[in-house]
Amino acid sequence: MRRVTTRLAALLLAGAGLAVTLPAGAAVAAGAPAASAACAADWGSLPKVSTATGHKPLRDIRTGRHDCYDRMVFDVLGPDTGAPVGYRVQYVDTLHQDGSGDVIPVGGGAVLEVRVAAPSYDPATGKPVYDGKAGLPLPGVDVSGYRTFQDTRFAGSFEGDTQVGLGVRARLPFRVFQQGNHVVVDVAHTWRGFR
């Protein structure tokens, strides 16, 4: 009988140890909607960089809303080979236009500076291929009603790069990746699930 009592006590203690080692909020996470589970990622808010050196002309910039994030897509011209396109995306206190250094005001609680190696002109001919105007919102892009995006500003194209200011609600986690001839910038709606 003593042996059974000892084993039972050991099992109870082991079970108590398991309950203590569960992360805080585990019970909440189990009952959370499926969309919250899909939002789990490890994006962070540090700069994201691709050092590819090729330049392709910019065709368009568009945005979209998703369950966990808002998305900005840079469409570049050329064969859909997926050849790497350079970019640098980072939070800045103030957006300064390349070349002139002029300040371009961007609305929102935080500003993401997006530089993509895709000029708004054809490098071979100098002919404009994207109709952005420095200091103005991106043509054809309306972010009203977005959960994270607050403002967009075209800063210009300088030395083969296009520079855009993306005003967001707060300094939130983001990711950047290339898919075919598209450079994609996703900014999370919240920090929850993105640590």
Side-chain angles (χ1 to χ4, degrees):
M1 181 71 165
R2 185 173 182 185
R3 195 177 260 175
V4 171
T5 305
T6 305
R7 286 184 184 168
L8 183 58
L11 285 174
L12 288 173
L13 287 173
L18 286 176
V20 171
T21 59
L22 287 176
V28 173
S36 295
C39 293
D42 187 20
W43 295 0
S45 62
L46 296 177
K48 314 293 193 277
V49 178
S50 165
T51 58
T53 57
H55 291 75
K56 296 180 182 181
L58 178 66
R59 181 180 69 208
D60 195 19
I61 302 174
R62 53 197 168 88
T63 59
R65 293 181 282 184
H66 296 267
D67 289 341
C68 303
Y69 53 86
D70 290 345
R71 171 171 283 180
M72 178 175 278
V73 179
F74 292 76
D75 297 323
V76 296
L77 293 170
D80 188 12
T81 61
V85 175
Y87 58 78
R88 179 174 188 81
V89 183
Q90 64 185 354
Y91 281 103
V92 295
D93 294 329
T94 305
L95 181 66
H96 292 274
Q97 184 183 40
D98 279 348
S100 71
D102 291 345
V103 172
I104 297 180
V106 182
V111 178
L112 262 180
E113 178 185 34
V114 182
R115 296 173 186 261
V116 178
S120 62
Y121 54 86
D122 184 334
T125 66
K127 179 182 174 189
V129 292
Y130 178 76
D131 194 28
K133 304 288 186 243
L136 296 179
L138 299 176
V141 173
D142 180 6
V143 294
S144 57
Y146 278 57
R147 192 163 164 201
T148 297
F149 292 174
Q150 307 265 304
D151 191 15
T152 64
R153 296 294 161 167
F154 186 76
S157 286
F158 184 73
E159 295 185 350
D161 287 350
T162 290
Q163 180 188 24
V164 168
L166 177 58
V168 296
R169 193 179 73 254
R171 189 179 178 117
L172 294 162
F174 69 95
R175 70 176 173 179
V176 184
F177 63 93
Q178 182 179 346
Q179 186 170 35
N181 283 1
H182 313 286
V183 175
V184 179
V185 179
D186 292 335
V187 183
H189 293 160
T190 67
W191 273 99
R192 185 174 171 209
F194 287 90
R195 295 184 183 177

